Every structure is written in structure tokens, then in C-alpha cells.
Amino acid sequence: MDFRSSDTVVGPQHADLLPATAATAVKVVIVGGFGVGKTTLVGSVSEIRPLTTEETMTQAGAGIDDTAGVERKTSTTVAMDFGRISISDELVLYVFGTPGQERFWFLWNGLFEGALGAVVLVDTRRLEVSFDVIGRLEDRGVPFVVAANTFPESPAYPTEELRAALDLPPEVPIVACDARTRESSRDVLMALMRYLYHLSAPAVH
């Protein structure tokens, strides 16, 4: 496994220490089908060295993992990705990325424990790989936003067409993103935080 955050360092580096002003920490989870860009998003947005658990794909997964549309992918997350980002001086997000292959979904129970919400990352070329992911979140009652990741030659659909294709209720936010850039990935997390705040705000009668 590629534990890139460990290397030969003993203990945390100064850049990895939690800011002294941090008062609130929130756990969020990045989910999605195989190869939609979850590891990329966590790595781009994290202010610390991200922890990844990527393994080289082998013939052992042939016939089990659906690689349609991502045939050139050579590695895959087998446990989780982890990063951290400070939204403000006082608010810190712990960001966990889940494995995309269904055979690793049993890990979701631990990864979702204590999480306030999730981002569903989708590839508009392969929307069908997101159906089961969204269904599992809805079954768990986990609030989520949907982020359409930008890939070369990926079709750009109007928001309402995406909403209909994914069978989403009107209140679930849908945003566009480029998981390779920190600013865009941060905007996705901010959209989730705004949605969670909206859900927690008392209704006005």
C-alpha cells in the first residue's frame, strides 16, 4: 500500500499539526463509483500530505471490478484516502475517500461513523456507476451533494437533466468540479457545508 504520509518520518511534521485556533472538526466522506476521481479530489484539497491506500491493479480483479470507461487505470484505493482542510481559523474538515469497487464497500460502515455528510463524485460519461452509491447513502439517511467531475470529452449536461438521470430530489445540490484543482475541490466541500447548515437551520414558520 502507498502510505505516502509516513515515508521515513517519525511523528507528525510541523505542517501536519492541527492549527492551534481550530475549535471544531467535522468529518465528511467522498464517495463514488470506481475511477471517478475520489483520490484525486482528496489529494488536491488536502493541506497536509494525504494518506492513500492505493494498490496496483492486477489480474485478480479481472471479471470482478467493472473497468469499463477507465481501462487505463492502473491503481485503486483498497481501504481509504484521508486528508484535512481548514475552512476557517476555527473549522477543520477531515476528508475521507472511500474505495470505489463494490467488493470493498464493507469498509463503508467504519468510514461513515461520525460523518456529518458526503460528496458523491460522478463521471458524466458513466453515470450508472453512481446509482448504487447514491442508493446506499439514501438508505443510510446520509445528507450529500453531487459533484460532476470534469474529464476530457465528458459531456456537460444541464443540472436538471443530471438530477433526472440520477433520480435526485430537488433539494440535493449538484455542482460541477475539477477534482484536480484545489480551488474547485474546496468549492465542492463548501457546497456540502452550506447544505448541511441549511438542513440544520430551524424552519421559519
Side-chain angles (χ1 to χ4, degrees):
M1 294 183 183
D2 178 18
F3 290 98
R4 288 183 290 174
S5 66
S6 54
D7 298 323
T8 57
V9 178
V10 178
Q13 292 189 349
H14 180 72
D16 295 341
L17 296 176
L18 192 65
T21 56
T24 304
V26 173
K27 179 181 180 181
V28 298
V29 183
I30 312 299
V31 300
F34 181 52
V36 297
K38 299 180 296 297
T39 299
T40 300
L41 188 150
V42 173
S44 71
V45 80
S46 181
E47 65 194 13
I48 62 173
R49 296 165 299 158
L51 166 69
T52 66
T53 56
E54 289 204 309
E55 289 279 10
T56 300
M57 296 177 63
T58 66
Q59 278 300 115
I64 301 175
D65 299 329
D66 183 5
T67 59
V70 286
E71 292 84 0
R72 285 188 270 181
K73 188 170 172 60
T74 59
S75 63
T76 183
T77 299
V78 297
M80 68 172 185
D81 302 312
F82 171 75
R84 189 190 78 206
I85 177 173
S86 298
I87 299 299
S88 67
D89 289 341
E90 297 183 347
L91 176 61
V92 171
L93 297 189
Y94 291 121
V95 184
F96 290 80
T98 64
Q101 301 100 308
E102 190 169 351
R103 60 192 169 111
F104 293 127
W105 283 3
F106 68 92
L107 296 168
W108 279 35
N109 290 334
L111 290 176
F112 270 89
E113 186 173 348
L116 289 190
V119 172
V120 179
L121 200 59
V122 302
D123 178 352
T124 58
R125 301 168 301 177
R126 302 180 297 121
L127 286 178
E128 67 280 358
V129 304
S130 303
F131 296 160
D132 287 343
V133 172
I134 291 173
R136 287 173 68 90
L137 291 180
E138 291 175 337
D139 290 343
R140 288 171 174 265
V142 177
F144 64 91
V145 301
V146 170
N149 195 11
T150 302
F151 286 91
E153 301 178 2
S154 59
Y157 297 111
T159 298
E160 290 313 308
E161 285 190 24
L162 272 179
R163 187 178 304 280
L166 295 171
D167 194 23
L168 296 174
E171 66 272 13
V172 174
I174 300 176
V175 296
C177 81
D178 183 341
R180 298 168 298 181
T181 69
R182 176 178 172 81
E183 294 78 8
S184 185
S185 297
R186 186 178 187 275
D187 287 346
V188 169
L189 295 176
M190 290 300 297
L192 174 61
M193 297 307 294
R194 286 192 294 269
Y195 182 50
L196 294 176
Y197 177 79
H198 168 74
L199 292 177
S200 66
V204 177
H205 298 287

